Amino acid sequence: MGDPMVRRLLAAGHAVTVWNRTSAKAEALAGAGARAMSSLQDAVRGAHIVISMLEAGPTVQEVLRAALPALAPGTLWLDMSSTQQAEAQAFHAQLTAQGGRFIDAPVSGGVGGAAAGTLAIMAGGAAEDFAEAEPVLAAMGRATLVGPAGAGQVAKLCNQLIVGATINIVAEAMLLAQAAGADPAAMRAAIRGGFAESKILDVHGQRMLERNFVAGGKVSTQLKDQRNILAAAQAAGIVLPLTELVTARYMTLSKTIPQADHSAALIGLEQLNPGQRVGDSPDKLS
């Protein structure tokens, strides 16, 4: 995700300095006009805006802690990773205690959306900080301020709640059509444009028909998101029974194909229904 996002920033005319824990990934962006640095502190020193895009909250914490000594007063840190709400609030507290500013700005849209600059960006932070960040975020997609620090992560969890559940429902529709004698591809075409239309039916429905489970969003990542959703629900004092069921499905999948695309929920469903399978193509997992 970070690579196409940097390329969108460069294409919009922003000067971008990049650093990655895997140096080759940063160096690969030098040809596109980025300035690659081997040191994290050198990369953030003097920057007015810092953007992080990392795998999970603990990694963000590790990077933030290492970068703090080199940050200039007033630096605005935009964390576009997907983390827990409480983690984002802790990052905000760390930065503000040292004279910095923070916005959590997780995204939805996948690698394709990052490359096209059409990401949905859910931001949590102060309104004045968001106004400053918005022209930068606009290079990568459509940004919306949804509340104070941590609220961006809540909105992302709501997004992932819908995504994770809907993928499973689309898989069930595909398998039902197959098992009951309808053509799954024709069924999908017939219901598109009606109330069941969705991006999931469009993109992941096609993946299921092609049995293309090469990861865009991994099962392991979706499981992380599901657990974060349940943690947020517990903190808010509510119960989400369907999300608990969906989480259990991804827990089962993660035992065998954690690196597959989350649309491989279809595989897990087929395992519950021996002898039933959507399509004749071999599974593409890597």
Side-chain angles (χ1 to χ4, degrees):
M1 288 289 287
D3 182 293
M5 292 165 72
V6 169
R7 294 178 190 275
R8 294 301 306 189
L9 289 167
L10 291 167
H14 296 287
V16 184
T17 299
V18 294
W19 172 85
N20 194 288
R21 292 172 297 159
T22 304
S23 58
K25 293 182 178 180
E27 291 163 2
L29 289 161
R35 187 169 67 126
M37 305 295 287
S38 59
S39 162
L40 169 60
Q41 292 198 2
D42 287 343
V44 302
R45 187 172 284 112
H48 185 60
I49 293 178
V50 173
I51 299 174
S52 51
M53 185 60 169
L54 298 160
E55 62 186 356
T59 307
V60 178
Q61 176 61 77
E62 177 186 335
V63 171
L64 176 58
R65 186 183 295 115
L68 276 173
L71 294 180
T75 298
L76 177 56
W77 190 297
L78 310 179
D79 180 37
M80 304 188 76
S81 319
S82 293
T83 73
Q84 294 185 19
Q85 177 187 16
E87 289 172 326
Q89 291 169 333
F91 304 149
H92 173 261
Q94 278 182 278
L95 279 160
T96 54
Q98 194 163 306
R101 299 170 295 152
F102 178 81
I103 289 176
D104 53 300
V107 304
S108 179
V111 176
T118 57
L119 293 171
I121 304 170
M122 298 143 274
E128 58 271 23
D129 292 338
F130 177 74
E132 185 177 329
E134 192 170 15
V136 174
L137 295 171
M140 297 177 281
R142 177 181 54 81
T144 304
L145 181 65
V146 295
Q153 297 299 343
V154 174
K156 175 62 186 288
L157 292 179
C158 292
N159 180 87
Q160 292 307 92
L161 182 158
I162 294 169
V163 168
T166 306
I167 285 174
N168 280 271
I169 292 299
V170 169
E172 291 190 4
M174 290 289 187
L175 194 65
L176 175 60
Q178 177 73 37
D183 179 348
M187 176 278 296
R188 173 174 167 271
I191 67 175
R192 293 186 68 183
F195 280 172
E197 178 65 285
S198 70
K199 194 74 170 180
I200 300 297
L201 181 64
D202 178 16
V203 175
H204 291 291
Q206 186 62 34
R207 276 180 165 272
M208 292 174 192
L209 290 171
E210 296 172 356
R211 303 198 69 87
N212 175 14
F213 304 120
V214 177
K218 296 178 182 178
V219 166
S220 59
T221 302
Q222 184 67 45
L223 179 57
K224 178 204 73 172
D225 290 338
Q226 294 294 138
R227 286 170 168 157
N228 285 347
I229 293 164
L230 292 178
Q234 183 178 24
I238 63 170
V239 175
L240 302 176
L242 292 182
T243 299
E244 290 175 356
L245 292 174
V246 173
T247 303
R249 296 302 308 134
Y250 282 110
M251 287 177 67
T252 299
L253 270 183
S254 71
K255 295 174 183 176
T256 54
I257 47 174
Q259 302 305 307
D261 189 81
H262 44 189
S263 59
L266 177 65
I267 294 177
L269 181 63
E270 290 168 342
Q271 291 170 344
L272 292 174
N273 295 275
Q276 298 293 342
R277 190 175 189 274
V278 173
D280 299 321
S281 301
D283 290 343
K284 290 179 278 187
L285 294 167
S286 61

